[in-house]
Amino acid sequence: MRQIFRVDLKNGFVIKGRQFEGWRKICSVDELVGKISRDMLGEIFVIDCTASLYDRQIDLESIRKISLAYNIPITVGGGIRSMADIDRCFDSGADKVYINSMLFKDALLVSSAAKKYGSQAIVGGVTVKVRPSGQECLHTYGREPTKLMFRQHVSLLEDLGCGELAVTSIDRDGSSLGLDYALAADVSAYSKLPFVIHGGANKTDFIDQKFAAAYAIEGLSGLSCSKFFYQQSGLI
Amino acid sequence: MHNDCRNKFPSHAFYGLPTEVEFCKRCVISNQRPSSIKEQAHQRNGVKEVIAFKDGLCDACYVAQIKVDIDWEQRSAQLNELLNKYRSRNGSYDCIVPGSGGKDSMMQAWLLKHKYGMNPLTVTWAPHIYTDWGRENFYRWIGGGFDNELVTPNSALHRLLTRLAFDNLYYPFQPFVIGQRHVASKVALLRNIPLIFYGESGAEYGNSSEKYEESTRSFEQYEFLDDSSPDRIYLGGVSVSELMERYQLSFGHFHHYLPLSREQVKDCDLQTHYLGYFEKWSPQHAFYFAMDKFQFEPAPERTQGTYSKYNSIDDKMDDLHYYSTYIKFGIGRATYDACPEIRNGDLDRAEGVDLVLKYDGEYPTRFETEIFDYLSVDESETTDWAKSFQEPRMTKALFESTTDQFRSPHLWFYDDREGWSLRHKVS
């Protein structure tokens, strides 16, 4: 089971919020790479929240710094809007790109990217909020309703050629209540793609009993955390 | 005023606003931001006081600079000394926390009870139209262990005043603002509770930096009327005497929208303070505090007109209110949300600019149907209020024609292809 460290970036800073809101600065990217050593990490997701939310270009400089510091698989996302953006991410050291908002502006770009770089290089992001109407998906850093329900979103990403899914529970984000395995079970039921789950990770998700339960969910290939890792590493 | 005519008068400013538009060099507010006034004097042709600027810096940013050097421990000790004189010893209420169950009132209530050992009564003036998540947060607030008095006005009259305020002032939020401003002191007087604590000082948002030098909120400024004659008190831009005649109402029907009189409070030791004078406040800090102590939930989606999910999320009318500030002053919700976050260091100015350019002035579609219904004056068995309106039903066409009347020529420019555009945008 892959253990993934997700880093959210804002303006050269590492940030962490709760339910995708109230982004607290944790440290600068320079401080992050100075404090976190390679042997503490297995895999890293880097999401630039300002690129998506502020309509800016993705922060390639920070991505290069992180990529150079850690010789580990790195998935990059946030504000990817064009094939040129995707090209630049790979040129900056990304092994995979994470797309979410782009799906709602140019869905065909997803399939074009999958054809160009291979499905294994394209990670489809799904950000889920449970509402009275069901599991609703949002984009642009958890802000814009997609009008897609969870099942539809997952199916669409699979049909367009994504090789993997990254599913985040907005409700659990920053809560330390534990990863949402019920959500993971739903992904498994809706899609044949491998996927990682994010949102609310705490220490129980990484000890033996929970780990075993995670292995039982077909398709679940990775557990992702942010706040838990910042706490473990002493950054917060 | 016809659209073409408006283009010819770029120096003509409505509401007495400054004709030259200036943006703060530190935050993103402009010098068009109106300051709080006594709403009962608010008429359409009134002159607005606006936020002060000096050397390119707005008054609120000046306050933010002062805030950096404050000894908060000393301020906290000062508050404790004040509260020692009023702290209840028998479980009776000793202070009032006005609020809605948002992040700020959650923090206010918790600090007063658990840090300072007080026994607050929370007091809420009902929103125009509750959002589901706002109502749930309200119950979380009370569920955190606080008594609450929820004051809900007669909805028919409240909606009438809202419609009049929209038609005459383009200010549908006025009835809420007025009621909220006075409800705490009325409950305080009724229940003999001597202290009221609001959250942040208005000075942190631009209501005169002089007010930041003290913790108290002036009764003179906000509460008392200089003249309580019905023909010189205005609600929704209409004198109360005219409202009484037109709608067959008595003076007493408007009690929620009138302050206490000097006579009523002269023998009381009633004080209103800003807790933000004694405790360091920022929107983000209050958000985390409220999440930790009350399980406060941000809105499930972004509020239209801004990037935020946690600021002022309990009233569907908020969406139209901030759209109205964008139309009248060129200042939308993203500006109002970004400015305190810039001042508190959670955003930098460049981020604020990007967010304002992306979200300010976004037309609020999500609650449009409900808001239009709310603004409509329906025919009724018991009143003939609807007859006083040429168009009692609010429609999109009526909404747009009303909106255009309030666009000041010095702020707005009309182009046949592009439609309306602001002449000045932050950069």
Side-chain angles (χ1 to χ4, degrees):
Chain A
M1 185 67 57
R2 294 147 66 198
Q3 292 184 52
I4 296 159
F5 172 38
R6 172 172 161 157
V7 175
D8 286 30
L9 297 180
K10 182 171 91 79
N11 249 6
F13 282 90
V14 175
I15 55 136
K16 181 74 200 102
R18 292 278 298 273
Q19 293 196 25
F20 281 64
E21 184 50 289
W23 319 302
R24 271 181 173 158
K25 290 177 188 171
I26 306 294
C27 61
S28 67
V29 169
D30 290 330
E31 285 171 308
L32 178 81
V33 302
K35 185 151 175 114
I36 307 298
S37 61
R38 159 71 180 89
D39 57 7
M40 295 167 78
L41 301 172
E43 188 176 340
I44 191 165
F45 271 42
V46 180
I47 307 295
D48 181 352
C49 73
T50 49
S52 181
L53 187 58
Y54 299 178
D55 282 349
R56 288 180 177 177
Q57 289 298 311
I58 192 166
D59 182 0
L60 294 172
E61 186 184 337
S62 293
I63 288 164
R64 277 189 214 104
K65 281 182 187 174
I66 294 171
S67 169
L68 286 169
Y70 307 114
N71 187 23
I72 58 173
I74 176 169
T75 300
V76 165
I80 291 177
R81 298 177 191 89
S82 65
M83 191 63 79
D85 286 340
I86 295 173
D87 295 338
R88 282 190 280 268
C89 287
F90 285 119
D91 290 343
S92 299
D95 299 289
K96 301 181 186 181
V97 292
Y98 165 104
I99 56 94
N100 187 350
S101 307
M102 190 177 83
L103 180 69
F104 305 96
K105 290 164 187 159
D106 186 358
L108 292 178
L109 186 58
V110 179
S111 52
S112 300
K115 283 185 186 125
K116 182 172 179 180
Y117 287 99
S119 290
Q120 78 290 343
I122 310 299
V123 178
V126 188
T127 321
V128 185
K129 170 87 183 150
V130 176
R131 297 187 71 170
S133 52
Q135 295 165 320
E136 290 190 12
C137 297
L138 295 101
H139 68 85
T140 310
Y141 213 64
R143 269 153 176 70
E144 305 290 345
T146 63
K147 297 185 174 47
L148 285 183
M149 301 306 283
F150 187 32
R151 185 174 200 148
Q152 296 169 301
H153 193 153
V154 163
S155 297
L156 181 59
L157 289 167
E158 186 169 359
D159 291 343
L160 288 170
C162 291
E164 182 178 78
L165 301 174
V167 180
T168 302
S169 163
I170 292 179
D171 294 299
R172 297 270 178 122
D173 177 53
S175 69
S176 303
L177 292 174
L179 292 167
D180 189 344
Y181 290 100
L183 186 69
D186 287 338
V187 181
S188 181
Y190 300 155
S191 172
K192 301 248 183 308
L193 292 178
F195 64 96
V196 304
I197 191 94
H198 183 85
N202 61 31
K203 66 177 181 182
T204 62
D205 292 302
F206 297 99
I207 60 176
D208 290 348
Q209 291 91 328
K210 270 276 188 76
F211 233 47
Y215 275 107
I217 299 175
E218 195 176 337
L220 179 57
S221 69
L223 308 180
S224 173
C225 68
S226 294
K227 182 178 173 186
F228 175 63
F229 190 82
Y230 298 135
Q231 289 167 331
Q232 292 296 298
S233 60
L235 282 169
I236 58 173
Chain B
M1 185 183 284
H2 192 273
N3 294 340
D4 289 337
C5 290
R6 204 180 305 240
N7 287 350
K8 293 176 187 162
F9 300 98
S11 299
H12 180 58
F14 288 177
Y15 324 118
L17 294 171
T19 51
E20 296 295 321
V21 178
E22 183 182 358
F23 291 93
C24 177
K25 62 186 180 186
R26 184 167 179 238
C27 72
V28 288
I29 202 72
S30 80
N31 63 345
Q32 309 292 304
R33 183 208 178 268
S35 300
S36 298
I37 59 168
K38 269 187 192 156
E39 286 295 333
Q40 291 85 357
H42 191 166
Q43 298 181 66
R44 182 165 178 164
N45 55 359
V47 171
K48 298 278 182 210
E49 277 185 41
V50 293
I51 186 169
F53 267 53
K54 187 181 172 190
D55 298 328
L57 207 64
C58 77
D59 212 28
C61 282
Y62 175 68
V63 167
Q65 290 181 331
I66 298 171
K67 200 170 156 180
V68 170
D69 295 323
I70 288 173
D71 182 343
W72 293 105
E73 281 190 20
Q74 185 197 46
R75 288 276 177 102
S76 177
Q78 193 180 333
L79 175 58
N80 212 25
E81 201 179 314
L82 166 71
L83 296 177
N84 284 342
K85 301 174 201 166
Y86 295 96
R87 193 173 286 111
S88 161
R89 283 163 176 73
N90 62 358
S92 59
Y93 304 127
D94 47 25
C95 63
I96 282 180
V97 172
S100 59
K103 62 185 188 333
D104 295 300
S105 51
M106 284 182 174
M107 189 155 115
Q108 285 161 247
W110 195 97
L111 287 173
L112 282 163
K113 182 167 183 175
H114 297 291
K115 181 174 177 181
Y116 292 103
M118 302 295 281
N119 192 26
L121 171 67
T122 62
V123 173
T124 303
W125 174 249
H128 286 271
I129 314 170
Y130 258 118
T131 59
D132 291 342
W133 42 90
R135 189 186 283 110
E136 285 160 13
N137 278 329
F138 171 74
Y139 287 127
R140 289 187 186 102
W141 185 40
I142 304 171
F146 296 92
D147 285 355
N148 175 268
E149 289 200 2
L150 172 65
V151 181
T152 310
N154 163 355
S155 180
L157 177 58
H158 203 56
R159 285 174 60 188
L160 173 68
L161 293 176
T162 303
R163 172 63 187 270
L164 291 170
F166 175 76
D167 285 353
N168 298 320
L169 305 173
Y170 204 71
Y171 185 15
F173 220 39
Q174 190 199 44
F176 175 80
V177 168
I178 295 178
Q180 184 189 50
R181 185 171 286 171
H182 301 310
V183 71
S185 51
K186 289 175 182 174
V187 173
L189 191 71
L190 195 68
R191 290 188 166 273
N192 198 27
I193 302 171
L195 294 176
I196 300 172
F197 281 96
Y198 287 91
E200 294 162 287
S201 166
E204 294 199 48
Y205 290 85
N207 286 345
S208 181
S209 51
E210 288 175 3
K211 304 284 187 295
Y212 198 62
E213 293 167 10
E214 53 200 29
S215 66
T216 50
R217 177 179 171 221
S218 163
F219 260 68
E220 282 300 327
Q221 184 180 4
Y222 291 110
E223 298 280 0
F224 301 135
L225 293 179
D226 297 319
D227 186 339
S228 55
S229 314
D231 57 352
R232 281 192 280 281
I233 302 171
Y234 292 82
L235 300 173
V238 182
S239 72
V240 169
S241 54
E242 190 174 340
L243 289 172
M244 288 164 62
E245 187 180 337
R246 204 193 288 177
Y247 301 109
Q248 298 89 49
L249 292 166
S250 303
F251 189 71
H253 284 117
F254 301 100
H255 72 98
H256 280 306
Y257 311 99
L258 303 172
L260 297 171
S261 68
R262 286 188 180 83
E263 287 68 40
Q264 283 175 294
V265 299
K266 70 176 174 47
D267 295 325
C268 306
D269 177 25
L270 182 54
Q271 301 177 40
T272 305
H273 293 268
Y274 292 109
L275 197 56
Y277 178 86
F278 302 105
E279 292 279 341
K280 192 174 179 185
W281 220 275
S282 77
Q284 196 183 97
H285 174 61
F287 168 65
Y288 278 96
F289 194 102
M291 283 202 101
D292 286 342
K293 305 295 186 196
F294 293 88
Q295 292 75 54
F296 171 84
E297 289 263 333
E301 61 194 34
R302 178 181 66 81
T303 300
Q304 288 177 310
T306 186
Y307 56 92
S308 174
K309 297 196 297 179
Y310 66 43
N311 274 331
S312 193
I313 56 173
D314 64 325
D315 194 341
K316 294 178 181 177
M317 191 60 73
D318 258 33
D319 286 22
L320 178 55
H321 167 58
Y322 285 102
Y323 186 73
S324 77
T325 64
Y326 183 73
I327 295 297
K328 290 201 295 186
F329 311 113
I331 300 172
R333 187 154 191 169
T335 301
Y336 278 111
D337 285 343
C339 286
E341 303 211 312
I342 294 169
R343 294 172 196 138
N344 286 290
D346 295 315
L347 287 177
D348 63 32
R349 191 178 190 276
E351 290 177 272
V353 169
D354 283 348
L355 290 167
V356 168
L357 293 177
K358 184 171 179 178
Y359 293 116
D360 242 19
E362 184 181 12
Y363 179 71
T365 53
R366 63 179 180 165
F367 302 135
E368 184 189 63
T369 303
E370 276 187 82
I371 290 173
F372 282 8
D373 280 343
Y374 191 91
L375 291 173
S376 299
V377 184
D378 302 322
E379 287 189 8
S380 160
E381 256 185 74
T382 52
T383 73
D384 56 3
W385 294 350
K387 289 183 183 151
S388 75
F389 292 85
Q390 265 193 318
E391 294 183 66
R393 191 93 207 128
M394 182 54 62
T395 61
K396 190 68 180 279
L398 177 61
F399 177 85
E400 286 175 349
S401 69
T402 306
T403 298
D404 289 348
Q405 292 171 38
F406 288 88
R407 296 181 196 265
S408 177
H410 83 298
L411 293 177
W412 291 98
F413 178 84
Y414 186 81
D415 179 270
D416 285 335
R417 277 179 310 173
E418 301 292 327
W420 288 104
S421 301
L422 279 176
R423 293 183 189 275
H424 310 279
K425 290 196 174 187
V426 68
S427 59

